[in-house]
Amino acid sequence: MPPAAPAYRRLSVEERRSQLLDAALELFAHRTPEDVSLDDVAEAAGVSRPLVYRYFPGGKQQLYEAALRSAAEELQHCFDEPRDGPLLPRLSRALDRYLTFVDEHDTGFSALLQGGSVVETSRTTAIVDGVRRAAAEHILSHLEVTDPGLHLRMTVRMWITAVEAASLIWLDEGKQPPVEELRDWLVDQFAAVLSVTANRDPQTAALAEKLAADG
Amino acid sequence: MPPAAPAYRRLSVEERRSQLLDAALELFAHRTPEDVSLDDVAEAAGVSRPLVYRYFPGGKQQLYEAALRSAAEELQHCFDEPRDGPLLPRLSRALDRYLTFVDEHDTGFSALLQGGSVVETSRTTAIVDGVRRAAAEHILSHLEVTDPGLHLRMTVRMWITAVEAASLIWLDEGKQPPVEELRDWLVDQFAAVLSVTANRDPQTAALAEKLAADG
């Protein structure tokens, strides 16, 4: 009999890197960064610790940041939504995907946004801020606003922050209320805060009218 | 002529400690933590660098955390408000004090809440979370709720987060809009998000009615 094939086939550099990243992301999604070791990543990927170091010489910190970058990209895809049909249902569908992402990365999401983690640096903060900025830009572009004034920008950013806060509490509370209810509640809040701002700002008032008309 | 008196009088240990803390807090309020050195603190307090180290052997990190603890205490006093009269004006007065605090600690407030700073640790995060928790408790106690349900807790925490986001943007935008307008806008938002939650939760619905009746 010929000898058994090696336990893993030879992967290309890119394949190997992406396999390690996937393993890391899976671990960082469901544990705090403190609870993930390089040995865990090596074991999950079925490779040796030195191999992980060959691809990520910066060790856990570098792996964490690479995994975070990859998660941030995935999260930004949640915001992709065709520009057709009424506006609030579009927001609702994007929120649905966002909350599914939160659900699937629960512990990692909490650890990251609660702050104070050893892996937090100005780079990880910049990645998170990039996602927030992308979310705001998506919303404003669906609203077809190219030159948002201060009131509108503040309203959108405040709502995005409130969504983050809601996600963290939702995770804290054992994912209650049910995700569909949370989603609808957050969409209603969006409409409500936009109405409040409309009382102080003509640009927002025009949008609030549009929103009321297109439902 | 007798020789000139020494440039500084002998302070007690407590007085000296508090003088150093005051100097540190003043510096950390208007610069990022990265831009404050122990030499700056020594100079501002008119003492030598070794003396600062004698009181704060942990150096800048320890001074930062002590200053943060003292700022957090000051901030919590902003929430003190007599339990008389209509509810929204009480919230408005507390917000006024909060925004004055933000104004007077601008750079330090931004650096702290934006995250990613070298001085950020799980301890500094815990201090900030303590302030948030205190804010939520004050609001619920003014609303005379002793056993807040999930919806109400989430609504209050989301609004508090939105206030923080608004404060950061306000600082970013050169303290625009004027603070009185920002304050009134945030109070209006509180009433609006409470109304939205009232549609889904009887406990909040009772409060929203009370709020509408007491204006």
Side-chain angles (χ1 to χ4, degrees):
Chain A
M1 243 171 54
Y8 50 84
R9 70 179 182 86
R10 233 180 140 70
L11 301 180
S12 75
V13 168
E14 255 325 294
E15 283 171 326
R16 178 66 77 195
R17 201 187 125 82
S18 126
Q19 180 214 16
L20 293 175
L21 252 188
D22 286 349
L25 184 52
E26 179 64 23
L27 290 167
F28 284 122
H30 299 295
R31 301 190 199 167
T32 64
E34 285 71 16
D35 286 338
V36 176
S37 71
L38 229 58
D39 283 328
D40 295 330
V41 177
E43 194 190 325
V47 303
S48 68
R49 188 185 158 95
L51 187 74
V52 180
Y53 264 115
R54 197 168 338 136
Y55 281 79
F56 296 94
K60 183 159 117 175
Q61 182 68 34
Q62 193 189 356
L63 254 176
Y64 181 79
E65 290 180 17
L68 179 59
R69 234 171 260 120
S70 138
E73 212 168 287
E74 188 186 335
L75 183 50
Q76 294 200 27
H77 281 304
C78 297
F79 308 147
D80 294 338
E81 174 65 32
R83 268 148 240 281
D84 311 314
L87 289 161
L88 290 180
R90 292 188 218 167
L91 185 63
S92 175
R93 287 188 294 268
L95 254 181
D96 233 0
R97 291 188 291 268
Y98 173 87
L99 292 171
T100 301
F101 176 94
V102 171
D103 189 16
E104 288 171 354
H105 299 79
D106 37 25
T107 309
F109 184 88
S110 291
L112 176 65
L113 289 191
Q114 260 152 19
S117 165
V118 290
V119 291
E120 193 179 332
T121 63
S122 55
R123 283 185 304 277
T124 61
T125 306
I127 295 170
V128 174
D129 279 341
V131 175
R132 289 179 183 135
R133 224 175 5 257
E137 280 163 15
H138 273 268
I139 292 175
L140 291 168
S141 99
H142 277 273
L143 294 172
E144 295 176 11
V145 176
T146 48
D147 191 17
L150 175 59
H151 285 85
L152 187 56
R153 276 182 287 134
M154 278 181 92
T155 305
V156 170
R157 283 177 58 182
M158 284 161 75
W159 180 78
I160 289 169
T161 313
V163 169
E164 273 180 27
S167 304
L168 287 174
I169 306 168
W170 182 71
L171 293 174
D172 258 7
E173 300 276 354
K175 307 189 178 174
Q176 283 302 317
V179 69
E180 299 76 19
E181 186 190 332
L182 178 60
R183 176 202 61 203
D184 292 348
W185 185 14
L186 291 171
V187 171
D188 287 352
Q189 284 201 14
F190 181 78
V193 292
L194 215 67
S195 296
V196 167
T197 303
N199 294 332
R200 309 175 176 275
D201 175 55
Q203 184 182 40
T204 311
L207 283 178
E209 247 176 70
K210 194 161 125 185
L211 231 58
D214 100 332
Chain B
M1 243 169 55
Y8 51 83
R9 70 180 184 86
R10 229 174 146 73
L11 301 181
S12 75
V13 168
E14 255 326 294
E15 284 172 325
R16 177 67 76 196
R17 203 187 123 82
S18 124
Q19 180 216 14
L20 293 176
L21 253 189
D22 286 349
L25 184 52
E26 178 65 23
L27 290 167
F28 284 121
H30 299 295
R31 301 190 200 168
T32 65
E34 285 71 15
D35 285 339
V36 176
S37 71
L38 229 60
D39 283 328
D40 294 331
V41 177
E43 193 190 325
V47 304
S48 69
R49 187 184 160 96
L51 187 74
V52 179
Y53 264 115
R54 198 169 335 137
Y55 281 79
F56 296 93
K60 183 159 118 174
Q61 183 68 32
Q62 193 189 357
L63 253 177
Y64 181 79
E65 290 180 17
L68 180 59
R69 237 172 256 120
S70 138
E73 215 169 283
E74 188 186 334
L75 183 50
Q76 294 202 25
H77 281 304
C78 297
F79 309 147
D80 295 339
E81 174 66 33
R83 267 150 241 280
D84 310 316
L87 289 160
L88 290 180
R90 292 189 219 166
L91 185 62
S92 174
R93 286 188 295 269
L95 255 181
D96 232 1
R97 291 188 291 269
Y98 173 87
L99 293 171
T100 301
F101 177 94
V102 171
D103 189 16
E104 288 171 355
H105 300 78
D106 36 26
T107 310
F109 184 89
S110 291
L112 176 65
L113 289 191
Q114 261 152 15
S117 165
V118 290
V119 292
E120 194 177 333
T121 64
S122 55
R123 284 185 304 277
T124 61
T125 306
I127 295 170
V128 174
D129 279 341
V131 175
R132 289 179 183 136
R133 222 171 13 253
E137 280 163 14
H138 273 268
I139 291 175
L140 291 168
S141 100
H142 277 272
L143 294 172
E144 294 175 13
V145 176
T146 49
D147 192 16
L150 175 58
H151 285 85
L152 187 55
R153 275 181 287 133
M154 278 181 92
T155 306
V156 169
R157 282 177 60 183
M158 284 161 75
W159 180 77
I160 289 169
T161 313
V163 169
E164 272 179 28
S167 304
L168 287 175
I169 306 168
W170 182 70
L171 292 174
D172 258 8
E173 299 277 354
K175 306 187 178 175
Q176 283 303 317
V179 69
E180 299 76 19
E181 185 189 335
L182 177 61
R183 177 201 61 205
D184 292 348
W185 184 16
L186 291 170
V187 171
D188 287 352
Q189 285 201 13
F190 181 78
V193 291
L194 216 66
S195 297
V196 167
T197 304
N199 294 332
R200 309 176 176 276
D201 175 55
Q203 184 182 41
T204 310
L207 282 178
E209 249 176 65
K210 194 161 123 184
L211 232 60
D214 99 336

